[in-house]
Amino acid sequence: MLLSQVSMTRPYSREDKISITDEPCITRILSSTITGRDDIFRDRIRERDGKCVITGVVNREIIRNDWTGFEAAHIFPVSSEEYFLHRGYSRWITNRIGPRDTGINSCQNGLLMLSNIHQKFDGFKFSINPDDGYKITCFDTDIFRIDGRTLDPICRDHSNEKGVRDELLRWHFRQAVLANMRSAGDPIFEMDFPSGSDVMGEILSGPKAAERMEAELFSRLSGVSL
């Protein structure tokens, strides 16, 4: 196979071996709050974390319920909910509400981050390896100086049913490796669409238009009853 078609995945521990794979990474978009289910997700993440669990920056405006600059980030994106179900990742969610709840909007699938950090996370520019002491690995220019830090313990208490799940962090880390360890690399998607922009037009004229359009539409329709 051509080098541009393969990725090298690093082992999860020193005992594992490095392997070559042609497994593609998913098409990721910036997650956002759209439905009522997302509102519950956001509120539970805020209550549990209270800070950016990547940088450690605490929200000093909690008393006024002002969360400006802080966002609840999905580890496994809402736009890939079908993949989440079909590959069995929903089984790791233990605090679902009712039989129809897939678990994608569980706080076990989320982390509170500063807005700019959230965008980097959604773009697989950095990730967290739960098998290396929850170490943060930056795959891009480390402008926020987060490489080598560890995920804040406040969100990863294994005895707490609200704690983030290692299996989902492990999935995100693998996706980040797949996205970044290619010789050609994945395209960079535009995320900043000012009010009044032709969002769909810009997406259609950009890289991987069909895949990104599908992800955007699924994200917007998720949780909407037709």
Side-chain angles (χ1 to χ4, degrees), residues 180-191:
N180 290 281
M181 297 295 104
R182 303 172 188 271
S183 59
D186 266 11
I188 298 175
F189 294 130
E190 179 60 70
M191 296 292 189

Side-chain angles (χ1 to χ4, degrees), residues 196-216:
S197 299
D198 179 11
V199 177
M200 294 306 172
E202 290 198 40
I203 291 175
L204 289 173
S205 63
K208 301 178 71 172
E211 294 178 39
R212 189 178 179 195
M213 181 65 74
E214 181 180 5
E216 292 279 357

Side-chain angles (χ1 to χ4, degrees), residues 8 20 41 46 53 55 67 72 74-75 78 84 88-89 109 130 135 138-139 149 165 186 191-192 220 222:
M8 184 168 64
I20 303 296
F41 167 79
R46 288 175 174 177
V53 295
T55 64
W67 293 88
H74 285 83
I75 300 168
V78 174
F84 178 78
Y89 284 96
N109 182 41
K135 182 180 177 180
C138 189
F139 297 95
R149 293 194 182 200
R165 288 298 174 256
D186 266 11
M191 296 292 189
D192 184 9
R220 283 160 172 72
S222 178

Side-chain angles (χ1 to χ4, degrees), residues 32-70:
S32 58
T33 299
I34 299 171
T35 69
R37 294 190 306 164
D38 292 335
D39 291 341
I40 296 173
F41 167 79
R42 177 199 63 196
D43 293 344
R44 289 180 175 174
I45 295 294
R46 288 175 174 177
E47 179 184 5
R48 185 194 67 197
D49 297 347
K51 66 173 75 172
C52 173
V53 295
I54 304 300
T55 64
V57 174
V58 177
N59 182 13
R60 303 295 184 186
E61 302 297 329
I62 291 179
I63 192 171
R64 297 194 301 158
N65 198 31
D66 182 356
W67 293 88
T68 304
F70 291 84

